[in-house]
Amino acid sequence: MLVTRKTRLEELIVRFNTVGQAKFYVEHLGADFSDYEAEHRTYGEAVKATEEILNRHGRVQQLDRSFLPNFLFTPDTLIVVLGQDGLVANTLKYLKGQPVIGVNPDPARWDGVLLPFKVKDLAKIAAEAMSGKRATRRITMAKAVLSDGQELHACLCALSNPIG
């Protein structure tokens, strides 16, 4: 399963109907529209490369983040999230222990604490994860400590460990 998101440019096109109107809006705010175009192009290339890599290992379904609340993940699904940290965290909310590989589509743009991998790493990581040879680490999405010392944990999820 490949979880993706719309780029800022795609979201503006949905809002304003055309690239020209989106460009007018962005430039009217004093921002650089070419940055939106570059981000869109880079993300599109990363999605294409990621799909090509994952298709070598089996059938791939791409899922936009807007469908996450309604999607039922099977227990044996390997989930690859291509986006920012927020997309990984949002995806983890809907899982029940399925392994997740966080892939940073644009390391020059995003640091990505939950995105330890680059697209070029994915061929090796996906093969190891699908064969069960890839170590994972559990992360806690939220932890609340009560005044009496009790701890409440929300969503313990498995992420593939970084290379190294």
Side-chain angles (χ1 to χ4, degrees):
M1 178 68 56
L2 174 59
V3 179
T4 59
R5 61 179 297 277
K6 286 181 174 58
T7 63
R8 294 181 300 164
L9 178 56
E10 289 172 316
E11 290 172 351
L12 285 173
I13 292 170
V14 167
R15 184 173 171 192
F16 296 109
N17 298 316
T18 67
V19 174
Q21 288 291 342
K23 182 177 181 180
F24 175 80
Y25 175 77
V26 169
E27 289 177 347
H28 184 71
L29 294 175
D32 181 11
F33 189 71
S34 66
D35 185 51
Y36 286 71
E37 293 173 312
E39 175 192 337
H40 178 75
R41 187 173 40 258
T42 301
Y43 190 73
E45 291 167 0
V47 169
K48 183 178 177 184
T50 299
E51 282 184 327
E52 288 174 3
I53 292 167
L54 293 176
N55 275 325
R56 294 182 214 146
H57 300 286
R59 187 172 54 99
V60 179
Q61 181 175 352
Q62 187 174 333
L63 180 69
D64 183 81
R65 76 172 173 187
S66 62
F67 295 108
L68 283 170
N70 301 320
F71 194 83
L72 298 174
F73 292 92
T74 61
D76 61 340
T77 302
L78 173 66
I79 295 106
V80 175
V81 179
L82 184 68
Q84 299 156 308
D85 281 337
L87 182 58
V88 175
N90 192 33
T91 301
L92 290 173
K93 292 188 312 188
Y94 301 103
L95 301 179
K96 292 185 170 77
Q98 292 94 335
V100 174
I101 300 173
V103 179
N104 191 337
D106 193 352
R109 185 177 299 272
W110 298 309
D111 289 338
V113 174
L114 298 176
L115 305 167
F117 305 110
K118 296 177 183 166
V119 173
K120 65 179 179 136
D121 302 327
L122 194 53
K124 177 182 178 194
I125 304 305
E128 291 175 354
M130 290 183 359
S131 66
K133 296 178 182 173
R134 185 82 195 165
T136 60
R137 65 180 164 102
R138 293 204 170 272
I139 64 165
T140 302
M141 293 294 296
K143 178 172 110 174
V145 180
L146 304 177
S147 60
D148 65 359
Q150 294 182 62
E151 292 184 5
L152 302 172
H153 296 267
C155 186
L156 290 174
C157 303
L159 286 174
S160 289
N161 276 335
I163 297 173

